[in-house]
Structures are given as C-alpha cells and as structure tokens.
Amino acid sequence: VAKATITVKADAKSRVYGAANPTLTATITGYVNSETSTAISGAAAVATAATTTSTVGDYAITAAAGTLSATNYDFSFTVGTLTVSKAALTVTAEAKSRTYGDANPTLTATITGFKNGETSAVLTGTPALSTTATTASSVASYAITAALGTLASGNYSFGLVEGVLAVTKAPLTVTADHQSRVYGAADPT
C-alpha cells in the first residue's frame, strides 16, 4: 500500500505597499478515507520574498514541508500569490488668505501618507490646484480644488482634499482734510 498524496497550497494574500506581510498560511486538501488534519502532524513552511519595500505587483508564496509529517501521506506543494497594491496618499490643498483686490497667492498642497520613510521625491508630476476667486471676488471663503494633474506613482494612489482661500477686507485710510480759519471765526466744515 503506497502513501496517498495530499496538496499543500499556499493561500493567496494581499496587502498595500509599505505594510508588513500578512500571516502566511497554507491549505491542505486531498485527505482520503474521510480523514482530516488530525492525520498529519507539524506545519508547512510558508514564505515569500516580498518585503515592506517591495513594489506594487504579485509575489510568489511558496509552501514547503516544514515540520509536516504523516504516516499515510506524501505532500505535494503549490505556490500561492501575494498581491501588493498601491498605498493611499492624501493630497490636501493648503489654506490660503489674501485681501480683497489682491492677486491670489500661489496655491500649494501637502501630500501625506508616505511609506518606508519616503518623501514626495518618489512621485512624478504635480497636483492641479485651482480656485474660482479672482481679484474682484468679494470678501468670503472660496474652495481651493485639488485635482490629480500630472501627479503619478507606481506605488501610490491619491485621495484629494479641498482647501480654503479666505478673502479678507482691504484696509482703507480715512484722512481728515486740512482746514484753516481766522481767529474767532467758526470752524469750517
């Protein structure tokens, strides 16, 4: 009587770029005679070469015998897949202010959520920032809209958050006009 073969398949897993790998597991199938996992002892060794700095893509998860043993079974191993997806960055239009009648200030954005100690140096392009406010816009708050523009990355997706441009009152100077009168006369208007 020869040993039956059961399959040890590395389970598919997923995570975002920059995160730690999830716990890797394997599923064992192919038991005969209504047997279950009690017919074997030990655990499979499951591993992947992917690390927190591995770029977006698919990586093999291998399964090996590890400490598995069984009297009536041999083991066949099947590779699984770890899918690394893009991590999310937040692009937030920064709040700005100006006085009525002035030109709008340069619109800027802050980008947060980088992984692995990275900075905006790993991105290409820039976000598109705009507002409907003009020099003639009345005192009020105006939305600063953030759009993707030319911003791109292989490892990051982008969430966009509006900012606010506050248009404040322009100062006016009220100067009393010089007047004169002769002594004893009433003050002029």
Side-chain angles (χ1 to χ4, degrees):
V1 176
K3 289 185 176 186
T5 300
I6 56 177
T7 302
V8 181
K9 182 179 186 329
D11 296 325
K13 299 289 181 174
S14 64
R15 67 168 175 84
V16 296
Y17 171 74
N21 288 335
T23 300
L24 302 178
T25 57
T27 300
I28 301 175
T29 58
Y31 296 103
V32 295
N33 298 325
S34 300
E35 290 183 324
T36 64
S37 59
T38 59
I40 62 172
S41 64
V46 187
T48 183
T51 66
T52 57
T53 58
S54 295
T55 58
V56 169
D58 291 336
Y59 296 85
I61 303 173
T62 58
T67 59
L68 283 176
S69 67
T71 303
N72 295 319
Y73 294 101
D74 282 329
F75 301 98
S76 169
F77 300 96
T78 304
V79 174
T81 301
L82 171 67
T83 300
V84 177
S85 59
K86 291 185 175 189
L89 293 179
T90 302
V91 180
T92 305
E94 294 177 338
K96 300 288 180 176
S97 65
R98 67 164 175 87
T99 56
Y100 170 75
D102 288 350
N104 288 334
T106 300
L107 302 178
T108 56
T110 301
I111 303 175
T112 57
F114 289 100
K115 305 294 183 183
N116 301 318
E118 294 173 337
T119 66
S120 60
V122 299
L123 306 177
T124 60
T126 56
L129 303 168
S130 62
T131 183
T132 58
T134 67
T135 55
S137 295
S138 300
V139 170
S141 293
Y142 297 86
I144 300 172
T145 303
L148 197 56
T150 59
L151 200 55
S153 172
N155 292 322
Y156 294 103
S157 61
F158 302 95
L160 306 168
V161 179
E162 286 186 348
V164 174
L165 172 65
V167 177
T168 59
K169 291 183 177 184
L172 295 177
T173 303
V174 179
T175 305
D177 295 334
H178 294 288
Q179 299 289 337
S180 64
R181 68 171 173 84
V182 294
Y183 174 73
D187 288 338
T189 301

